[in-house]
Amino acid sequence: MVAADTPSPWADAEWAAALIALTGETLGGVHLRSPTGPVRDYWLERVANLSKQDPIRKIPANIPEGRLLGGIDLGATLQHGKPIAETGMLGECHGHIVIAAMAERLSRNTVHHLCSALDHGAIMVARDGIEAQTPARIALIATDEGTEDEGAHAALVDRLGITLDMTTLGIHDVDNEIFRLHEIERAMEMLDSMTLSEEQLTALATLATSLGIDSPRPTLAAAKVARASAALRQSDTVEEEDVMRALRLCLIPRARQLPEMAEPPPE
């Protein structure tokens, strides 16, 4: 059985890597606030190793829309005498974890298409005389190097279940690896049987409201993280430590107010 949380600053980062490897596209992904450097590179390597996706594909911030979505395959079109669609990068990444580099610089169109893939598991291609729906079920790691005033687009961040801030971590903070690949595989077998109690769900929803979080997505993500956390611990039930981990990874980073500052409900 995996050991419980350690107090090291690296612990939540290690758990986040295991959680996204376990849950994949069902969690949306990770909003990763971190500068470039060895700490971020090592964390991304951990995700690749735990998810058996090495290397993980990267979507550059300046990717042309045609490359992202695909368009007409000129060679195949000339050969067959009719428009033939070419698969874009999102379609090529179907079923995989993907890194969106420099998410704070993504164009609005790119953000829109990424959100569509996260929402529907597919994208609509309507360009160059072609109309087609392409499967694009992905888990997205949005690496964000911006300041608080120029971070990744809010619509994209809202769809990424985990928010992980490693801006203050140095290489000396990197601790021992908590998980191995076989533990992820065992957790996959247990995940579907994990459920939250009504009290735990109510607690997460109440905390989200008290933190000023309006969107329901972070609360739903927190419930998934709590279940996945219990599965990773090889536990039969979701315990308080799983709910607390979900709170740290999904809700607290999105807080708009302190709980004591929340307005009382109307009479």
Side-chain angles (χ1 to χ4, degrees), residues 5 12 17 22 35 38 57 71 103 120 122 156 173 177 236 246 256-257 262:
D5 260 351
D12 277 344
L22 172 60
R57 294 285 298 272
H120 308 296
L156 183 61
D173 294 312
E177 298 174 354
D236 294 332
R256 296 178 178 271
Q257 64 189 20

Side-chain angles (χ1 to χ4, degrees), residues 12-33:
D12 277 344
E14 176 74 5
W15 273 91
L19 287 163
I20 193 62
L22 172 60
T23 59
E25 68 276 0
T26 62
L27 191 58
V30 179
H31 176 212
L32 177 61
R33 295 193 66 91

